[in-house]
């Protein structure tokens, strides 16, 4: 797997990681791993099973039982398309609650490594460059101001027909960022060798161009 190139994109909520990962993946013909979706599915399944989300061992134990599949940008749990449910901010909060447990992170580790396939992978999340793919060829830490992120997430939810309130969204995003930064296992933090990219004032196209530029100067030939 080490000879399969990987680009990692980590950063806080709604900084644009998923969009950037999809566009860079498309441009290079690489696969894309949305690692947040794995934590979201785990949080949702744990809640549905009535588990205590503070019980890391119990939550981790359901991971191998999840019948997950990814098809055309949709996520299925068994035969149910849970994509819309996963996007809700309430599910993001469930994800960040289960993500604090080392046992849950361990249970999802190999699943994430399996996405590393030729011709290459773009992986987005919180710990892609620090824990999952420490040998990645290019690591990006993507940020944007909290106000920008709340507004982006608001517009994104509304456009997908999910109702949202911008004030409570901003509070939820900040609460989630705090939990992600302060947990003891794989907290949200830039890898030492990450390129920092603040895209508060950048278009998606400009951010994609910057990453492709970095990629051109780094590829080993
Ligand atoms: O994956 P993450 O939560 O970091 O963010 P995302 O879902 O990729 O982006 C959140 C929203 O911000 C999306 O609707 C993007 O289209 C938008 N966005 C933007 O307007 N300008 C950017 N430079 C980056 C993202
Ligand atoms: O799209 P957004 O940035 O809002 O969230 P996400 O990437 O879907 O991640 C949801 C939650 O899962 C995060 O707030 C983290 O608590 C957790 N997560 C994580 O701990 N490690 C990852 N690699 C990805 C997500």
């Amino acid at each position: 797997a080490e000879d399969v190139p990987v680009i990692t994109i980590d950063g806080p909520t709604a900084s644009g990681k998923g969009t950037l990962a999809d566009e860079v993946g498309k441009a290079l013909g690489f696969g894309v791993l949305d690692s947040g979706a794995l934590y979201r599915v785990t949080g949702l399944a744990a809640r549905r099973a009535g588990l205590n989300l503070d019980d890391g061992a119990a939550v981790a134990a359901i991971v191998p039982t999840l019948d997950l599949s990814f098809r055309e940008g949709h996520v299925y749990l068994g035969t149910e398309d849970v994509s819309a449910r996963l996007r809700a901010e309430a599910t993001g909060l469930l994800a960040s609650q289960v993500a604090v447990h080392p046992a849950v992170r361990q249970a999802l580790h190999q699943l994430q490594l399996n996405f590393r396939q030729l011709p290459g992978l773009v992986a987005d999340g919180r710990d892609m460059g620090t824990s999952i793919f420490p040998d990645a060829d290019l690591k990006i830490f993507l940020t944007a101001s909290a106000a920008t992120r709340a507004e982006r997430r608001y517009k994104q939810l509304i456009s997908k027909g999910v109702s949202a309130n911008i004030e409570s969204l901003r509070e939820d995003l900040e609460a989630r960022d705090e939990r992600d930064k302060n947990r003891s296992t794989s907290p949200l933090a830039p890898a030492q060798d990450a390129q920092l990219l603040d895209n508060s004032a950048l278009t998606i196209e400009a951010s994609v161009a910057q990453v492709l530029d970095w990629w051109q100067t780094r590829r080993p030939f």
Side-chain angles (χ1 to χ4, degrees), residues 43-99:
L44 185 66
R47 165 54 52 85
R48 284 181 173 179
L51 300 181
N52 171 3
L53 300 189
D54 295 328
D55 185 344
V59 176
I62 66 161
V63 169
T65 73
L66 298 178
D67 176 17
L68 271 185
S69 50
F70 301 85
R71 289 195 298 274
E72 289 149 14
H74 287 243
V75 184
Y76 295 82
L77 196 49
T79 56
E80 181 189 355
D81 182 351
V82 290
S83 313
R85 194 79 202 81
L86 290 189
R87 262 184 235 117
E89 185 49 32
T91 311
L93 286 168
L94 293 178
S96 75
Q97 280 174 272
V98 300

Side-chain angles (χ1 to χ4, degrees), residues 49-211:
L51 300 181
N52 171 3
L53 300 189
D54 295 328
D55 185 344
V59 176
I62 66 161
V63 169
T65 73
L66 298 178
D67 176 17
L68 271 185
S69 50
F70 301 85
R71 289 195 298 274
E72 289 149 14
H74 287 243
V75 184
Y76 295 82
L77 196 49
T79 56
E80 181 189 355
D81 182 351
V82 290
S83 313
R85 194 79 202 81
L86 290 189
R87 262 184 235 117
E89 185 49 32
T91 311
L93 286 168
L94 293 178
S96 75
Q97 280 174 272
V98 300
V100 301
H101 303 301
V104 171
R105 306 198 71 84
Q106 190 52 45
L108 291 172
H109 195 123
Q110 186 59 45
L111 205 57
Q112 295 172 81
L113 296 181
N114 293 345
F115 280 78
R116 190 169 190 172
Q117 287 173 24
L118 286 169
L121 177 68
V122 186
D124 97 72
R126 300 293 183 291
D127 63 341
M128 297 297 96
T130 49
S131 303
I132 307 296
F133 304 109
D135 66 333
D137 302 87
L138 173 62
K139 301 179 183 179
I140 313 290
F141 194 78
L142 189 68
T143 60
S145 70
T148 303
R149 295 188 286 114
E151 197 183 320
R152 285 178 182 173
R153 181 52 43 90
Y154 177 77
K155 288 189 184 152
Q156 184 182 34
L157 290 171
I158 295 299
S159 77
K160 288 185 168 136
V162 183
S163 68
N165 169 296
I166 196 157
E167 295 307 324
S168 65
L169 253 182
R170 179 163 174 172
E171 281 166 29
D172 288 348
L173 299 192
E174 285 177 327
R176 194 137 68 79
D177 288 346
E178 278 312 298
R179 182 151 41 204
D180 288 346
K181 284 186 219 164
N182 293 315
R183 67 175 175 235
S184 50
T185 308
S186 304
L188 170 65
Q192 262 181 353
D193 50 351
Q195 301 279 349
L196 302 185
L197 181 58
D198 183 334
N199 74 358
S200 304
L202 291 183
T203 62
I204 294 166
E205 296 71 30
S207 308
V208 172
Q210 173 61 267
V211 173

